[in-house]
Amino acid sequence: TGENAGETEREGRQYKIGVSIPAADHGWTGGVVWFAEQGKKKLEAENGDVKVLISSAKDASEQVDKIENLLVQDIDALVVLPQEPGPLTGICERVREKGVKLIVVDRGLEKKIQNLTVAGDNPEFGRVAAETLAKELDGKGNILVMEGVPCVVNTDRVEAFREVMKQYPDIRILESQSAYWDPEKGLKLMENFLQKYNQIDAVWTGDDDVLVGALKAYEESGRKDIKLFIGGGGSKAIIKRILDGDPVVRLTVTYPPRMIEAAMEEALAILKGTSSLPDGDTLLVHAEVVNRENASDHYFPDSAY
């Protein structure tokens, strides 16, 4: 027992950070899983007193179960990317009641109970895409919009995009439909658009996975009218196309999955009392335009995304 007491004491000095994320069911979440693993390696290598426990879940109910499991392991902080805000709010309230620090990534909860939010700047994401597209088209042309899953993230992006487009009366949004951040749905939606419209100048897919599907439909159609496709996220497949000088995929806008790693670093800073951010604050990760000049800075060939 003397040995066990020593073990408990050592455990007591160790910071335990739980990380709860969706399973890699799509390119972007694959990137989140990869960067979470990178973050774990880095934090544990640089800090002898830190243990990171990562758990991924295929849906919201599994995520709730897995967070309960992390609580049993006496975590000091939880970094969570919620599958859905509703089902995750209750368990996150329990996390806070137990005195565990809570860092929410990307999607909010139904109640603002977290110590910190780390998220992409979604209105900026839509705005930057719109400004870039308008500039590339010299302020005129027919465009299509492929929206994401109906949620606050999507609404913020699309509304900001449309706001910018109001300044360009010669750019016409032919149609705006949801592709649910899914490559297969992107492929089918693009096939429909190609049948309906005989002159398309640009497409904003808002997501690099959807862009892959849309490009496949366009390439198979044999058409040559589209001047530009803009995705979003910063996947290695799309950044490679930019690096290789693809004529219609010249740029994308970042929504970096490595924000999970930033959240893990902030969790440790909060635990150690070295965070410069006030409680309840939001750390926004800016949307950047990736083009041929800076694409190599955003290219991670080993990443899952």
Side-chain angles (χ1 to χ4, degrees), residues 113-174:
I113 50 175
Q114 59 266 37
N115 300 92
L116 180 69
T117 304
V118 178
D121 188 334
N122 286 297
E124 183 184 51
F125 181 92
R127 215 167 31 247
V128 166
E131 285 160 0
T132 307
L133 191 146
K135 192 175 155 202
E136 291 281 320
L137 290 182
D138 291 327
K140 54 185 182 295
N142 293 332
I143 69 168
L144 291 162
V145 174
M146 294 190 174
E147 299 190 26
V149 171
C151 65
V152 175
V153 167
N154 179 67
T155 304
D156 286 350
R157 292 175 176 184
V158 175
E159 282 182 357
F161 183 90
R162 286 180 170 276
E163 233 8 80
V164 170
M165 284 305 162
K166 285 178 186 170
Q167 301 162 33
Y168 298 94
D170 294 334
I171 293 181
R172 187 166 154 239
I173 300 176
L174 297 169

Side-chain angles (χ1 to χ4, degrees), residues 105-249:
V105 183
D106 183 43
R107 304 163 201 170
L109 298 167
E110 288 188 337
K111 295 181 186 170
K112 204 164 181 338
I113 50 175
Q114 59 266 37
N115 300 92
L116 180 69
T117 304
V118 178
D121 188 334
N122 286 297
E124 183 184 51
F125 181 92
R127 215 167 31 247
V128 166
E131 285 160 0
T132 307
L133 191 146
K135 192 175 155 202
E136 291 281 320
L137 290 182
D138 291 327
K140 54 185 182 295
N142 293 332
I143 69 168
L144 291 162
V145 174
M146 294 190 174
E147 299 190 26
V149 171
C151 65
V152 175
V153 167
N154 179 67
T155 304
D156 286 350
R157 292 175 176 184
V158 175
E159 282 182 357
F161 183 90
R162 286 180 170 276
E163 233 8 80
V164 170
M165 284 305 162
K166 285 178 186 170
Q167 301 162 33
Y168 298 94
D170 294 334
I171 293 181
R172 187 166 154 239
I173 300 176
L174 297 169
E175 205 172 321
S176 188
Q177 294 280 349
S178 184
Y180 294 86
W181 296 322
D182 180 289
E184 277 304 308
K185 290 190 169 68
L187 171 75
K188 291 192 170 61
L189 184 56
M190 192 68 213
E191 284 173 346
N192 291 344
F193 283 159
L194 289 163
Q195 281 165 10
K196 276 173 89 169
Y197 303 105
N198 57 14
Q199 177 57 47
I200 303 162
D201 295 295
V203 183
W204 179 47
T205 70
D207 177 84
D208 284 347
D209 288 350
V210 171
L211 178 50
V212 169
L215 285 167
K216 189 165 186 266
Y218 179 60
E219 282 154 11
E220 285 172 358
S221 75
R223 281 175 52 167
K224 298 277 179 263
D225 52 323
I226 300 177
K227 301 179 183 78
L228 180 70
F229 283 85
I230 297 187
S235 78
K236 65 182 180 189
I238 295 305
I239 290 176
K240 183 79 170 70
R241 280 188 179 241
I242 295 167
L243 279 169
D244 292 345
D246 188 304
V248 293
V249 186

Side-chain angles (χ1 to χ4, degrees), residues 11 14-21 32-56 70 73-80 260-261 263-269 271:
E11 283 287 313
Q14 193 168 53
Y15 295 107
K16 268 195 195 171
I17 299 171
V19 180
S20 171
I21 48 182
V32 169
V33 172
W34 190 79
F35 278 109
E37 295 289 352
Q38 300 305 305
K40 172 182 163 72
K41 282 182 208 159
K42 189 169 171 237
L43 283 181
E44 290 181 348
E46 290 174 3
N47 305 274
D49 57 352
V50 173
K51 186 168 173 59
V52 178
L53 308 168
I54 298 175
S55 88
S56 60
L70 287 170
Q73 296 179 68
D74 288 328
I75 53 170
D76 302 295
L78 175 69
V79 175
V80 58
I260 194 78
E261 197 178 343
M264 290 158 72
E265 285 164 3
E266 283 299 328
L268 182 59
L271 290 174

